[in-house]
Amino acid sequence: MRIIEKPISRRWRQDTQTMDEKTTSHRIEDEIQQATFRNELSKAGINLIYTGTWLKTAHSDFFKSFGITWPQHNILRILRGQKGNPINVNAIRERMVDKSSNVSRITEKLQKKKLIECRQSAVDKRAMEITITQKGLDLLTKVESRVHEINNLLAHLEPSELILLNMLLDKARSPRNGKAH
């Protein structure tokens, strides 16, 4: 008996054609006005950077409406997670989503806004212990009452698509052959 299988690429093309019909106006080719790419790897890299920038801009605009930046919000959330226990700048830096953020400068701005308190460490006079203030907690409550607005940027994706997206993004950051990217 002879078994005939459809090639995976044909099935994949059919699936992506259906997907393309839903997303035609937002294809990376149209967004950056580039008809072709060297290969799918190059296209994926450019698409990740473009989409990351799009999401970061949307987040920046959202947090600006509360008078803070996205990195400031990240620090406030880290401090809230400490449940009143102080934390130092280095520990905050390790937990930041954007590792390139200047935590010292950001904490100074948050302190001027009275969203955090900084005290000299009793153990190490060179280190500062940082905690969130009630004003900072209140601001986070206001942000979270509207955070659905920013989360809705991806709400059009199906739950299974979100799971796949998260898996692929995690895999993209994973070391290849034991070497970090």
Side-chain angles (χ1 to χ4, degrees), residues 7-8 37 51 61 146 148 159 167 171:
I8 292 172
F37 293 86
T51 304
D61 292 346
R146 289 185 40 212
H148 64 277
M167 287 173 33
K171 186 175 182 179

Side-chain angles (χ1 to χ4, degrees), residues 9 13 17 29 33 56 102 106 114 121 135 144:
S9 60
R13 265 184 295 208
Q17 284 172 349
E29 293 90 335
Q33 300 175 15
K56 194 171 185 175
N102 184 337
I106 296 169
K114 299 188 184 321
S121 170
K135 184 176 177 182
E144 286 171 3

Side-chain angles (χ1 to χ4, degrees), residues 16-158:
T16 56
Q17 284 172 349
T18 305
M19 206 167 41
D20 283 348
E21 291 167 7
K22 297 176 187 174
T23 61
T24 332
S25 63
H26 296 289
R27 295 173 348 126
I28 190 65
E29 293 90 335
D30 301 329
E31 295 288 336
I32 65 170
Q33 300 175 15
Q34 181 174 332
T36 60
F37 293 86
R38 189 174 319 135
N39 53 42
E40 288 299 316
L41 181 62
S42 176
K43 179 180 176 180
I46 291 168
N47 206 341
L48 275 170
I49 293 168
Y50 183 87
T51 304
T53 302
W54 171 74
L55 282 169
K56 194 171 185 175
T57 301
H59 278 81
S60 293
D61 292 346
F62 174 77
F63 291 116
K64 193 181 295 182
S65 70
F66 294 96
I68 58 173
T69 65
W70 187 77
Q72 288 173 344
H73 176 258
N74 190 198
I75 288 176
L76 291 173
R77 285 180 46 99
I78 291 168
L79 294 172
R80 181 183 60 191
Q82 288 295 113
K83 300 187 186 319
N85 297 315
I87 188 172
N88 66 39
V89 170
N90 289 333
I92 292 172
R93 187 177 294 113
E94 290 171 9
R95 295 172 58 187
M96 292 284 292
V97 173
D98 182 357
K99 304 290 186 200
S100 66
S101 296
N102 184 337
V103 177
S104 298
R105 184 181 53 79
I106 296 169
T107 54
E108 285 175 17
K109 289 183 178 187
L110 289 170
Q111 190 175 17
K112 285 180 184 174
K113 294 178 182 185
K114 299 188 184 321
L115 299 172
I116 66 170
E117 288 180 352
C118 300
R119 290 188 212 105
Q120 192 175 33
S121 170
V123 178
D124 181 357
K125 300 294 182 200
R126 297 170 296 168
M128 296 300 288
E129 292 181 339
I130 305 165
T131 55
I132 191 166
T133 63
Q134 187 59 51
K135 184 176 177 182
L137 291 169
D138 293 344
L139 179 63
L140 282 178
T141 300
K142 287 179 189 172
V143 170
E144 286 171 3
S145 72
R146 289 185 40 212
V147 78
H148 64 277
E149 295 172 24
I150 199 70
N151 290 339
N152 282 344
L153 289 172
L154 300 177
H156 62 287
L157 298 175
E158 297 293 328

Side-chain angles (χ1 to χ4, degrees), residues 1-7:
M1 179 164 68
R2 192 170 151 213
I3 299 173
I4 301 173
E5 291 183 6
K6 288 183 182 177

